[in-house]
Amino acid sequence: MLRESFRLLKAGSVLAGYIIHTPDGLTESEESRATELGPPSVGAPDSPAAMVRNVGFVSEVQQDVTDRFKQSCLSFRKARLDLEGELRKLEGDKVYDEECSAGEGRLLGISEGLLGRCLIVAVKP
Amino acid sequence: MADRMEPQDDRERFEAYYTKDRTQIKRLIQIAALGTDLGLNGYTTVEEAETLVASLGLKPDSCLLDIGAGRGWPGSHIAKKSSCKLVSTDIPWEALTGARDEIEESDFEGCRQVVNADGRALPFRSESFDGIVHADVF
C-alpha cells in the first residue's frame, strides 16, 4: 500500500496518517506476541519511518501518540463494560466477549511496550 | 440471537466488521467512550484529525485520497476542513456505503467519490492525488 501511495501522489505532496506498530528491537517471540495482541496490520519488519523511506518518501515527522492511543483504548473498554447488557443483546455473547478480549489484548500490548501508535508525515520528493 | 459466521480471511473479516448492525453498535460505543457521534471509526481522535489537516496542507482545488477509509473518518473531516475533493477507498462495500451515506447526510458541498478497491492495487493513474491520508491500515 505504501508503494501504491508513492505511485499515486504528485511530487511534493504529502502522505500523512497514523500507524499502530511494534517498537524497534523486539525479539522474535515479542514480535509474535505483539501480532497476537495487536490488530492484523501490526508486525511489519521495519519501523514506520523506515517503511516510508524504503519506498522513496522523505519522512518529515514521526510523532509518538501511544499515550493517547492507550486512553482511547481505555475509554472504549469502559464503554463496552458500561453497555454490556445492551451490547450482548445486539452482538451476541460470542462477539461481545471476542471484542472485549481484543480490546484487552491491545491494552496489554501497550502496557508491555509491544504496541505503539505514531503519526507519520512523509513527502514524495 | 442468530449465530454469526467466523470470518475466513481479511475480506470477510472487514465485511463482517462493517455490517449495518455493527455500525449501529459502534456508534453506541463511540458516544459512550468519546461523548460524540461524529462518525469516528477507529482510534483517530478529533484532535489527531486536525493534525492531519495541518500536515496535509490541502487547498480547495486539491484531491485527497483516503486509503482504508472505512466509514469515512478522518478523510471526510479533512476534506471538509480543506474544502478539497475526496476519494474514499476500501475493501468492504458496507463500509463505503456507510461513508457514502455520511457524505450525503453532511452539509458539505464538493466532489466526493467512494471506490471499492484494495489499497495494494488502486485503479487510479499515477500522480493523481495531492494528498493521501490513512489511519491504522499500514
Side-chain angles (χ1 to χ4, degrees):
Chain A
M1 281 194 275
L2 282 171
R3 282 192 181 81
E4 270 295 84
S5 299
F6 191 85
R7 179 180 74 80
L8 293 169
L9 270 178
K10 297 175 185 173
S13 297
V14 171
L15 169 74
Y18 293 93
I19 298 177
I20 298 173
H21 63 97
T22 54
D24 290 336
L26 294 188
T27 64
E28 199 173 314
S29 64
E30 286 171 331
E31 286 279 358
S32 176
R33 180 160 168 76
T35 306
E36 288 171 13
L37 295 174
S41 55
V42 159
D46 294 316
S47 69
M51 283 198 299
V52 297
R53 281 198 303 269
N54 287 345
V55 299
F57 286 102
V58 174
S59 176
E60 301 250 311
V61 171
Q62 179 171 349
Q63 180 189 4
D64 182 74
V65 296
T66 303
D67 283 346
R68 204 175 311 150
F69 176 38
K70 181 181 174 181
Q71 290 309 312
S72 295
C73 289
L74 286 168
S75 296
F76 284 124
R77 177 172 74 175
K78 183 177 183 304
R80 283 205 149 262
L81 291 173
D82 290 345
L83 294 169
E84 179 175 355
E86 193 165 356
L87 291 177
R88 283 192 183 275
K89 283 182 200 164
L90 289 170
E91 295 180 316
D93 288 338
K94 184 168 182 288
V95 172
Y96 178 83
D97 289 335
E98 283 173 355
E99 291 289 320
C100 286
S101 178
E104 290 298 331
R106 287 183 189 33
L107 282 166
L108 195 56
I110 295 167
S111 68
E112 291 183 8
L114 301 177
L115 292 176
R117 190 170 185 255
C118 69
L119 166 70
I120 289 279
V121 181
V123 177
K124 177 174 176 177
Chain B
M1 172 76 66
D3 287 338
R4 295 177 191 273
M5 292 183 65
E6 282 290 311
Q8 299 302 311
D9 55 24
D10 280 353
R11 183 177 289 272
E12 285 185 9
R13 178 168 50 78
F14 290 145
E15 287 175 353
Y17 187 83
Y18 285 108
T19 61
K20 282 194 168 50
D21 285 347
R22 291 205 57 77
T23 298
Q24 288 166 357
I25 289 164
K26 289 200 174 291
R27 279 188 189 274
L28 276 177
I29 294 169
Q30 183 195 128
I31 291 167
L34 304 174
T36 180
D37 182 20
L38 280 177
L40 274 71
N41 190 55
Y43 299 104
T44 303
T45 64
V46 174
E47 185 184 346
E48 288 173 342
E50 290 293 332
T51 299
L52 292 173
V53 173
S55 299
L56 285 159
L58 297 167
K59 302 181 178 59
D61 61 350
S62 300
C63 190
L64 171 68
L65 174 65
D66 185 353
I67 294 182
R71 281 174 43 219
W73 177 268
S76 55
H77 178 83
I78 298 165
K80 192 170 177 178
K81 285 295 187 104
S82 308
S83 299
C84 68
K85 304 185 205 56
L86 173 67
V87 178
S88 305
T89 181
D90 209 329
I91 294 173
W93 185 240
E94 283 278 5
L96 291 173
T97 54
R100 184 195 58 200
D101 292 345
E102 305 247 0
I103 289 166
E104 288 173 358
E105 289 166 13
S106 75
D107 58 1
F108 180 76
E109 299 173 359
C111 180
R112 295 285 180 271
Q113 288 184 316
V114 293
V115 177
N116 186 208
D118 189 323
R120 292 166 291 193
L122 290 165
F124 308 117
R125 280 199 300 271
S126 298
E127 300 184 354
S128 297
F129 294 96
D130 304 286
I132 294 179
V133 66
H134 59 92
D136 307 315
V137 293
F138 288 162

